[in-house]
Amino acid sequence: MQSANVLLKKILRSSVLPFAAQHGMKKDLFPLSRTLSLSLCLKQDNSGSPSERLDLDAWKKVMKSGLQEEDRCETVSEPKELSTLAAAREILEMWRLAGRSVPEDISEEQLKTFMECPSKSAKKKYLKYLHIKELYKKNDKRKMDEKRERRLETQKQASETDVTKRSSFICLWASSMDKAYNWRVAQSMIFGQPLVFDMSYEKDMSIREVANTVRQIVLSEGCNRRSVDPFHIHFCNFKDDSLYHKEFMKHYREAWGKLLITVTDQCYTDVFPKDKLIYLTADSPKVMKTFDHDKIYIVGSMVDRSIKTGVSLARAKRLGLETAALPLEKYLLWNSGAKNLTLDQMMHILLTLKDTGDWKKALEFVPKRKYCGFVNRPVHELKRTLNLINTLKVGKRQEEVRKQFAKNYPKKLTQK
Amino acid sequence: VQPPEKPLQAEEWNRLRESFQSPEIFEEVMFNSMVRCNSSIDVAKSLLTHVAKSNGDIAYNLLVKYLALCVQQGQTSEIRDVYDIMKIRFRILESGAYNLLIRGMSNSDQWRMALTLLEEVKKIMTPSRTNYESCIKAASRHQEMDLAFELYHEMLAKDLVPTLDVLQAFFEFSRGMKGAELQKELFGILLYLRDNQLYPHKTFMQSIKLWFESIPGGNWRGQLTNIKDSGQCPVCNHQLEDSNLTEEEYNNLKERIIRDVIHGTDTFRKTSPQEFEAFQTFVENRLPFDIVIDGLNVSHIKPRRMQCENLFDAVNCLAKENARLLVLGRKHMLINSSNWKREIMKEMQNKADFFFAENISEDDAFLLYATLRSGKHCKFVTRDFLRDHKACLSDSLTRHLFRKWQRGHQISKTMFLSVFIQQPASNYDCVVQTTGDTWHIPYKDSFEEKYSYRVPRKWLCIQQK
């Protein structure tokens, strides 16, 4: 073993650095724990005597032997006091080594956000979020690279068999489609039915919720633009220096000024006659029966991760507006999940209703995990059959079914 | 994977590793299962040696896992060795390793090392409550009560919540020790239980009892007992504190309910300003009530019966002794329907005052307001636990006040063969309490009580002879 140690020191003194760097797997650990690739020589060492007695503490020697050398070359340049940011970075690095979900790269800004997290669990959550984001990013990059490689290959093949195709259209699909879409949206800005996004929930949301909201609105705007008969979208109560605005700029950049929508800091009650407005909210006691082409529907631009019931209902109440909820229970056998839908789902549903008036088609856009299937008869009839089944059945099962039913159809609905 | 029984040679490990489905994580998985099976550390060492020899290094997470194994088996010298190695290898350690190190060292005769480690942790982050727990337990096990209390106060100053285990350790290890200062500290812990409405479990209670009885020259005697409904202790005939809040607490709670529960961030969320004002004038004109009833909640007690009949029964049952009743409901109750018959509603309105809120308003908030406004004698009837309203209150002190008030003023009803059984509000307050020469301590039978709203029925009565 002594010989192994000597060998080890020798290797250290000679230039291990390039060798270790080649050793891809350990590259990440490199600054903190020098990797010494001893495998080759040690293996040779042992192979001669398989019956040799095991030295159980040999690992300690290996671990300790490397460091004295390391100390010599490293401690000199190390500043004694670390700034708090650097210290945080170091802790993160250790957590990563310990196998926690921590991102590999973290920017200065993210590090600051991390340190401002109020509690340990908040920190953990934030790190996990960054970690997962990083994983996605890496995966995407890998896929892109693969794709590029494949494309290059096919190009190569194509250039070998040099055939140019002829057609009567110049290949400008994307831009001409854009033009066609924009024409339609421009039409809708003059003649179309307005749809209002109420942008007054900023203070009810966290920064991440605002970012999610804006993302959903961008998606909705996209699908509105591509639809046959688009809405005329209004962003009401929109403040120019708000978080919403900042997030929109991130998504649209210079296209923000060219969007074919109406953005105003006025309230919808100032823009439209009050009796035409209907505020859509899942908390509404009224259930929407049909889509009215003369009304102006309002959607609250809010993502609500921490269940804040009645925020948008309160807003409508304050302004004395009519409210409505989608008839989810009437048409769907609800399974689980909240009844509030994302903004782009709302947009899909409203567009489909506008075009066809078919609830079944429209409610296809409700996520499948949230419901078991469509109800073809009204709920009260269903309830009657359920009761009948229950009275026929005796035993524990009955209570179970009743509970399940009560869960899916709360009192509010069954009372009527 | 099953860890091997005996230490293996390098090539044997290699063979195992190759037969494993994903060799990259073989060591990690193997260590995990060693910790789970509590394998001998020699086996772990042989794997470490193998790793060290083939890679020239051992990754941090493997060291931590090995450390976990050592801590599990109380191998103090190994723990120290690992610590030394980690210390020279890495500039700082992370919380997982520190947790293990502190736990491992505090259980050994080198427990002072745990304190040094705690200091080290403090430099990079706030130690967890289990870190403190280990150190405090180690200190008190070695009769260093001053040190233990110093750590305890430090922990409280950092807003960490001590476990019942830590608190028990103080009583356990102070048994028979003398000192006025120590006694004061331990009384302080009992008052901590009181302030936070915590209840000791049975073994903890035994520690408290034994400590009291062991105080030299204290002449304390403890006895287990059940308190009567009247709130009198059968052992010492002492009357327990009643559940009423003080004038100040009461006003404070009332204000906070109006501010946080009814108005909250937006008055429109639960009611509307007009409606709340109308309700306020309604209540002011008819004050004071004796019992406020949550009409809708009570009407659902028996699901097979008509809802208004349920309510009718409740009103009849409560109206007997000339009590002034207020029933809160919603407007939809006034519409003649299969569940709400107009004649019955009419009859009820002769016996009690009714207030009907909008169908989309929250009547519970009104219930709380009306009860609090009527004064301390007023009780309310609902089966609801009012958890969501408690959650609206912004600080824990007010939440505790709310719970206390609720215990004293809520009448919940259960239905048994169509007869109402009233579960009366309790007359005495269920917290640790003292008069100087007596202590009354409620305790739970088991460590984990399932329901937080249930208060213990069993008490420890301690008196000084």
Side-chain angles (χ1 to χ4, degrees), chain B residues 79-327:
Chain B
I79 298 172
R80 280 213 76 132
D81 277 356
V82 177
Y83 174 65
D84 288 339
I85 286 170
M86 281 181 159
K87 211 50 209 175
I88 358 187
R89 268 283 142 141
F90 307 101
R91 196 162 32 210
I92 58 164
L93 306 184
E94 49 79 55
S95 42
Y98 273 124
N99 287 344
L100 286 168
L101 286 168
I102 291 179
R103 186 140 59 86
M105 297 315 288
S106 66
N107 286 328
S108 73
D109 46 353
Q110 300 179 35
W111 62 275
R112 278 184 196 278
M113 172 88 180
L115 300 178
T116 339
L117 287 166
L118 187 70
E119 289 305 313
E120 239 172 80
V121 178
K122 273 187 224 161
K123 271 182 221 154
I124 51 170
M125 64 198 131
T126 356
S128 68
R129 69 172 187 170
T130 43
N131 291 158
Y132 274 108
E133 184 179 336
S134 307
C135 292
I136 290 174
K137 274 187 179 169
S140 48
R141 199 178 301 126
H142 295 86
Q143 306 286 306
E144 298 237 7
M145 299 317 286
D146 289 346
L147 179 61
F149 274 111
E150 195 183 310
L151 287 170
Y152 170 67
H153 289 303
E154 195 179 300
M155 177 179 184
L156 290 186
K158 288 196 163 109
D159 274 340
L160 295 171
V161 181
T163 54
L164 287 182
D165 261 18
V166 171
L167 304 181
Q168 188 183 351
F170 282 119
F171 286 95
E172 195 68 40
F173 294 110
S174 316
R175 205 176 294 162
M177 284 168 92
K178 242 190 147 141
E181 196 57 35
L182 178 73
Q183 204 166 319
K184 216 177 109 195
E185 289 280 15
L186 287 167
F187 283 158
I189 291 180
L190 290 177
L191 293 178
Y192 178 86
L193 294 179
R194 176 192 168 87
D195 290 342
N196 293 288
Q197 302 194 17
L198 295 173
Y199 308 112
H201 46 86
K202 208 167 184 176
T203 45
F204 186 4
M205 179 276 296
Q206 286 294 350
S207 303
I208 296 174
K209 181 167 175 278
L210 290 176
W211 173 74
F212 265 107
E213 288 169 348
S214 79
I215 298 174
N219 282 330
W220 292 93
R221 279 287 152 270
Q223 251 179 307
L224 306 186
T225 177
N226 292 312
I227 302 290
K228 293 176 195 161
D229 281 342
S230 62
Q232 202 182 32
C233 172
V235 181
C236 59
N237 292 325
H238 175 71
Q239 182 70 34
L240 293 190
E241 286 175 39
D242 65 22
S243 54
N244 284 336
L245 309 184
T246 65
E247 203 61 40
E248 196 191 334
E249 286 173 334
Y250 195 84
N251 287 333
N252 190 4
L253 181 66
K254 196 160 67 186
E255 265 165 43
R256 296 298 290 273
I257 293 273
I258 294 173
R259 201 183 78 195
D260 292 345
V261 179
I262 296 177
H263 293 306
T265 50
D266 188 351
T267 315
F268 283 97
R269 272 175 77 174
K270 293 208 169 136
T271 167
S272 68
Q274 295 90 336
E275 191 182 29
F276 184 58
E277 211 169 288
F279 178 68
Q280 270 182 316
T281 41
F282 172 86
V283 172
E284 296 303 323
N285 290 338
R286 289 169 173 78
L287 276 178
F289 299 103
D290 297 318
I291 298 173
V292 183
I293 302 166
D294 183 349
L296 274 176
N297 188 290
V298 169
S299 71
H300 283 286
I301 283 183
K302 268 203 115 187
R304 298 278 168 67
R305 293 185 73 196
M306 223 193 288
Q307 287 167 9
C308 64
E309 277 184 335
N310 276 331
L311 185 59
F312 189 63
D313 285 352
V315 170
N316 275 340
C317 169
L318 292 165
K320 273 171 196 157
E321 289 134 29
N322 254 345
R324 287 182 59 79
L325 301 182
L326 168 63
V327 181

Side-chain angles (χ1 to χ4, degrees), chain A residues 36 39 42 50 52 54 56-58 60 63 67 78 90 94-95 97 100 120 285 309-310 317-318, chain B residues 8-9 11 45 49 53-56 61 78 81 88-89 91-92 94-95 126 266 268-269 271 360:
Chain A
L36 313 172
S39 48
L42 278 173
E52 174 198 45
L54 264 175
L56 289 175
D57 286 332
K60 288 183 191 165
M63 290 300 282
L67 7 121
E78 224 56 69
E90 219 165 312
M94 291 313 290
W95 278 347
L97 288 182
R100 293 210 206 172
K120 273 186 188 173
T309 19
K317 253 204 248 171
R318 181 194 299 277
Chain B
L8 297 187
Q9 294 285 354
E11 56 268 33
K45 275 180 178 178
T49 307
K53 282 191 179 172
S54 48
N55 294 345
N61 60 343
E78 276 306 302
D81 277 356
I88 358 187
R89 268 283 142 141
R91 196 162 32 210
I92 58 164
E94 49 79 55
S95 42
T126 356
D266 188 351
F268 283 97
R269 272 175 77 174
T271 167
I360 52 171

